[in-house]
Structures are given as C-alpha cells and as structure tokens.
Amino acid sequence: MAKARIAVMVSGGGTNLQALIDAQISGIIKSGEIVLVISNSHTAFALERAKNAGIKTFSITKKECGSQQSFEKALIDELEKENIDLIILAGFLSILNKSFTDRFAKRIINIHPSLIPSFCGEGYYGLKVHEAALHKGVKVTGATVHYVNEIPDGGEIILQKAVYIRKNDTPETLQRRVMEQAEWKILPAAAEICSRKIIENKEI
Ligand code: GRF
C-alpha cells in the first residue's frame, strides 16, 4: 500500500521533528513517510535534522514574501508540488489563515504543550504555556495533538497525554518533561493514526 506523503512544518529546534524521524525509523510510523520539512526561518536547527535524515527542506520567511497571503501561497505551492497528504505542525510558530486551513481541512495536525482546552489559543506558545500552568497551580498538565482549523488550538482533539507537575518545577523543567513524556510520544502516534486513515480512504 502506498504511504501518505507527510510534510512537517517547523520554526525552531525541531525535537518533535526528530521524534517523528526516529518513529519512522523504528516503525511506529509505517503508513506515512516524511518527504518534506518546511521552515519559516532559514536558520532553524530543525532544518539540519531534516538534512541529516535525507529529507527535502524548504524555508521561507513571511518578511521576504511581503504579506501573509503571499507567504501562504508560497507554502501551498510547495505542498502541492510535493503532493502532500498530511501536514504536521511541529513547533511551527506562525498562525495560518482560514483560507490555508480550509484548503487542507482534516489534513493538518498540531502538537500543543498543554491539555487543551487549558492554556491554549492565541499567545500561548513555548514557555508561556508552562508559565501559565505553574502560575495557575494545576497539578496535571500534558500535551495535545489536534486537527488544525482557523481557530488557534481549536480543532478536533486526536490524542492527549497527561504529565504530573512536581513541586519544584520551573517552566523550563516542565517544558522538558512534557516533551519527553508526552509530545514525543503522542505526535508520532497521531501521525500514524492520520496517515493510516488517509491511505485507507484512498484505497476505497
Ligand atoms: C513544542 O513545545 C511544541 O509543543 C510547541 O513548540 C515546541 C517545539 O519544540 N508547539 P521543537 O522545535 O519540536 O523542539
């Protein structure tokens, strides 16, 4: 059976991308193949990870496109050129407009480092999410993989995993544990679930 063609979109270090690459090698992801990594920064370390794994990369900044619309057009052109079936946002820090998310409805997934609907939506990214969780004093946090629609962190939930907060946690220690215990596990698992769904529907 043909595999779903996956594009991973990144902005930074790319540890989630690495988890996806490793999951492909170990066979956790078997229904899809990462064929493209897109970055909105030319210097993201994630691009190195992609190159080391022999995956095609494409980077473009909003600034050099001049507008959100032409930025999204450039992304769409690249995704269509590569016949992408599934887009995985793995630490992609740019908001995508409704015209983009509608075009790939149920074909874009995102990892968010909290248990949605807590600590999510506009302004909740990176360490800010973990700062908010610690400030609120919740005892359990975690990560969520969800479909992407026009509402930031608002699409249907696919997988979640809980992580306990420790007494001496800082935003940094919590961020690391949420990644290790939750993000790096549920993102590859969700990638496999969605890839399998896509190829099964193609067969019908
Ligand atoms: C992760 O915490 C992810 O949940 C969030 O951005 C961070 C990306 O980290 N959306 P990395 O680039 O995958 O290391």
Side-chain angles (χ1 to χ4, degrees):
M1 211 186 258
K3 293 189 179 197
R5 291 175 64 78
I6 300 174
V8 183
M9 292 175 55
V10 296
S11 299
T15 60
N16 278 289
L17 168 66
Q18 192 63 55
L20 290 164
I21 293 169
D22 294 346
Q24 193 168 280
I25 294 167
S26 69
I28 291 170
I29 299 176
K30 48 184 184 292
S31 306
E33 185 183 354
I34 305 165
V35 294
L36 177 66
V37 170
I38 294 182
S39 172
N40 66 341
S41 145
H42 296 302
T43 54
F45 184 67
L47 291 169
E48 297 305 311
R49 297 181 189 270
K51 283 174 196 154
N52 288 339
I55 301 166
K56 187 187 168 193
T57 62
F58 175 77
S59 62
I60 193 159
T61 66
K62 207 184 287 186
K63 204 172 166 194
E64 70 205 19
C65 293
S67 70
Q68 175 74 17
Q69 205 184 356
S70 46
F71 173 62
E72 290 188 2
K73 164 107 179 46
L75 298 178
I76 291 169
D77 285 351
E78 188 63 25
L79 291 163
E80 292 192 335
K81 195 170 86 194
E82 291 297 327
N83 282 318
I84 297 302
D85 296 304
L86 177 65
I87 300 166
I88 302 179
L89 306 184
F92 185 67
L93 294 179
S94 187
I95 298 281
L96 297 164
N97 279 341
K98 183 168 162 44
S99 54
F100 186 98
T101 56
D102 279 357
R103 187 167 196 126
F104 300 101
K106 282 283 177 108
R107 294 298 179 104
I108 315 174
I109 67 174
N110 179 49
I111 178 83
H112 182 76
S114 77
L115 294 175
I116 290 175
S118 291
F119 315 117
C120 65
E122 231 165 312
Y124 284 102
Y125 60 88
L127 273 183
K128 288 178 196 290
V129 180
H130 305 291
E131 279 162 8
L134 291 176
H135 187 252
K136 185 69 190 171
V138 293
K139 305 298 176 204
V140 181
T141 185
T144 303
V145 183
H146 61 92
Y147 283 110
V148 174
N149 61 16
E150 70 280 11
I151 304 159
D153 300 322
E156 187 190 327
I157 291 170
I158 302 165
L159 288 177
Q160 292 188 301
K161 191 164 189 289
V163 173
Y164 283 102
I165 286 174
R166 292 182 188 155
K167 232 199 272 155
N168 298 324
D169 263 332
T170 63
E172 289 78 9
T173 61
L174 186 56
Q175 180 182 49
R176 181 76 195 175
R177 218 164 55 259
V178 168
M179 282 180 158
E180 285 172 355
Q181 295 184 2
E183 295 182 41
W184 300 343
K185 296 196 162 76
I186 62 173
L187 188 58
E192 173 56 21
I193 291 169
C194 296
S195 297
R196 203 178 53 229
K197 251 190 211 161
I198 288 167
I199 58 172
E200 280 172 358
N201 284 338
K202 271 191 176 171
E203 288 296 303
I204 297 167

